[in-house]
Amino acid sequence: DTEVTQTPKHLVMGMTNKKSLKCEQHMGHRAMYWYKQKAKKPPELMFVYSYEKLSINESVPSRFSPECPNSSLLNLHLHALQPEDSALYLCASSHSERGYNEQFFGPGTRLTVL
Amino acid sequence: AQKVTQAQTEISVVEKEDVTLDCVYETRDTTYYLFWYKQPPSGELVFLIRRNSFDEQNEISGRYSWNFQKSTSSFNFTITASQVVDSAVYFCALTMNRDDKIIFGKGTRLHILP
């Protein structure tokens, strides 16, 4: 199984809602990532988990809260988002957090904040 | 500072033509890794190739080939006999051995016209 899955595919939420994005991989990878991608831009790194511990937080606002319940799962909890947070949210995984590892990406969740 | 430059924002070619996507990188590290990823309209980034800084051999995979030249800090990607399915955004990326952050170029949007 060489796949990273993400749910939901699409999400529309109001600024007062609380929602969660989910990501799962069964490749035995020990590093998992959240990226945010705006239209016609490259992905921007948000968070990195290495061996289920948060290793990088790229100064992301606290309205985004990551969680890694186990080595296969990664969640992104959303609360009180702003319209400018509308974007494609991509999850990725790699064998470890070292730079020589390619990352495997999921199909993303297209988030719209009204 | 590390940087990846993809000067071609958008390219359109007719099917069966060859096309080269340019990538120029900057880093002071001696150990680094270069990647190409493809992002079709579905949104998922697909890993295409990784090259480490000590391996300047060119690579060919079917219709795809890559030319890595340290002397010009370039890692160009050529598609031979392009097909409509090659239409996508292509990202060149750079990582260093010491961490797991990917530095993406801004991407080149490739249109293959039937």
Side-chain angles (χ1 to χ4, degrees), chain A residues 33 35 37 40-43 45 48 55-56 58 88 90 96-107 110, chain B residues 10 33 35 37 39 41-47 50 91 95-102 104-107 109:
Chain A
Y33 311 78
Y35 289 87
Q37 187 179 24
K40 300 195 176 183
K41 299 285 187 184
L45 183 64
V48 180
S55 64
I56 293 180
E58 290 288 281
L88 178 68
L90 292 162
S96 72
E97 78 281 12
R98 298 303 297 275
Y100 52 74
N101 292 301
E102 66 269 31
Q103 293 185 16
F104 293 80
F105 286 80
R110 291 196 183 273
Chain B
E10 204 157 342
Y33 304 87
F35 299 80
Y37 285 88
Q39 188 173 35
S42 58
E44 175 179 349
L45 271 83
V46 177
F47 164 74
R50 174 188 57 224
F91 291 100
T95 64
M96 270 56 68
N97 195 44
R98 52 185 158 84
D99 64 31
D100 50 12
K101 293 186 185 182
I102 293 183
F104 284 101
K106 292 187 175 180
R109 185 173 297 270

Side-chain angles (χ1 to χ4, degrees), chain B residues 6-41:
Chain B
Q6 295 180 255
Q8 303 148 309
T9 307
E10 204 157 342
I11 301 174
S12 294
V13 300
V14 177
E15 198 173 18
K16 298 184 184 176
E17 288 185 357
D18 300 346
V19 57
T20 295
L21 309 183
D22 297 332
C23 173
V24 173
Y25 64 93
E26 294 176 32
T27 179
R28 291 185 179 178
D29 288 40
T30 55
T31 302
Y32 54 88
Y33 304 87
L34 294 164
F35 299 80
W36 277 95
Y37 285 88
K38 173 182 179 180
Q39 188 173 35

Side-chain angles (χ1 to χ4, degrees), chain A residues 24-80:
Chain A
E24 190 167 4
Q25 58 89 12
H26 292 289
M27 294 178 277
H29 290 171
R30 304 316 300 263
M32 295 186 76
Y33 311 78
W34 279 115
Y35 289 87
K36 174 183 178 180
Q37 187 179 24
K38 301 284 273 186
K40 300 195 176 183
K41 299 285 187 184
E44 296 174 34
L45 183 64
M46 300 174 72
F47 303 103
V48 180
Y49 273 83
S50 178
Y51 292 85
E52 300 163 48
K53 292 186 179 176
L54 183 65
S55 64
I56 293 180
N57 176 340
E58 290 288 281
S59 302
V60 179
S62 59
R63 57 186 184 268
F64 295 92
S65 174
E67 179 195 19
C68 189
N70 59 55
S71 60
S72 300
L73 292 173
L74 187 66
N75 298 323
L76 186 63
H77 302 298
L78 314 173
H79 173 55

